[in-house]
Amino acid sequence: MATKVHLSQQPEADELLGRSPLALLTGMLLDQQIPMEWAFSGPYTIARRMGADDLDAHEIAACDPERFAALLSEKPAVHRYPGSMAKRVQQLCQYLVEHYDGDAEAIWRDVDTGKELFKRLNALPGYGKQKAQIFVALLGKRFGVRPEGWREAAGAYGEEGSYRSVADITGPESLVKVREFKQQMKAAAKK
């Protein structure tokens, strides 16, 4: 896989996201109610605290829930809600172990259509329609995973030249544009 991404704005964390499908899925899972950079640096923090250079779905799935929650709660916490997010990360890993033998990349490795890719992502614990669409767009735009119909499956997030989500971030300038778009959406929602 090994793709250059700029989601956490931290070189070591972005390097992990670029080479680890599980880290990427976990970062996307954590991306709610906290700044995006904090969410996408989470997988790197978890891996370091586990004494590893990558995340292992089998290890996380089998980890004692209280121990794993404590790991995410250490200062600085991995998320604003470290206990509930620890549970979600473990549920994601348990699902991956059960359905994909712990191989996160298997979700998209041999998928034929964007519709099927969306369906697989939408089935993941902690992933709803919007998160699944954004992840389809992220895979297509940044990782070259482009099964037939991927843009349609990603909805508006798949649009060329848009600045709607993490799928559109290629560096600091595009990050600013995505933030501006999100602020406009929040302002419009308040009206």
Side-chain angles (χ1 to χ4, degrees):
M1 191 166 138
T3 298
K4 190 155 180 70
V5 294
H6 304 275
L7 303 177
S8 75
Q9 304 294 306
Q10 296 177 21
E12 303 88 359
D14 282 335
E15 187 275 329
L16 175 62
L17 294 168
R19 69 176 164 81
S20 170
L22 180 55
L24 195 63
L25 279 172
T26 302
M28 189 74 208
L29 178 70
L30 295 171
D31 189 20
Q32 57 189 30
Q33 299 180 326
I34 60 172
M36 178 204 70
E37 299 92 329
W38 185 7
F40 281 96
S41 65
Y44 178 75
T45 303
I46 294 168
R48 296 226 11 225
R49 290 179 184 173
M50 293 184 86
D53 67 351
D54 196 356
L55 300 179
D56 181 311
H58 291 277
E59 185 180 355
I60 292 171
C63 194
D64 174 72
E66 287 182 21
R67 184 176 157 264
F68 192 66
L71 190 98
L72 269 68
S73 299
E74 284 177 30
K75 301 274 187 247
V78 170
H79 195 276
R80 178 183 292 158
Y81 305 108
S84 62
M85 293 314 285
K87 185 177 180 180
R88 284 192 176 181
V89 171
Q90 280 197 291
Q91 288 169 338
L92 173 66
C93 289
Q94 289 161 351
Y95 184 91
L96 291 172
V97 168
E98 185 179 329
H99 296 274
Y100 297 98
D101 195 30
D103 179 5
E105 191 175 6
I107 294 169
W108 58 84
R109 185 182 301 116
D110 299 318
V111 75
D112 292 323
T113 66
K115 189 176 182 179
E116 178 63 23
L117 175 57
F118 169 80
K119 183 179 169 189
R120 290 180 182 187
L121 289 164
N122 196 42
L124 296 175
Y127 275 64
K129 179 183 178 186
Q130 184 180 29
K131 204 171 279 278
Q133 286 182 316
I134 292 170
F135 205 86
V136 169
L138 178 63
L139 288 172
K141 291 179 175 183
R142 301 289 151 246
F143 291 87
V145 176
R146 298 176 178 145
E148 183 182 327
W150 73 271
R151 284 193 190 275
E152 293 78 8
Y157 301 104
E159 291 174 5
E160 187 92 39
S162 66
Y163 293 98
R164 294 178 180 274
S165 72
V166 297
D168 303 308
I169 296 172
T170 57
E173 300 83 22
S174 54
L175 173 61
V176 169
K177 290 180 181 179
V178 168
R179 280 228 161 80
E180 288 170 353
F181 176 81
K182 288 185 175 197
Q183 287 169 347
Q184 290 169 359
M185 292 295 99
K186 282 182 183 177
K190 286 181 180 178
K191 287 184 179 178

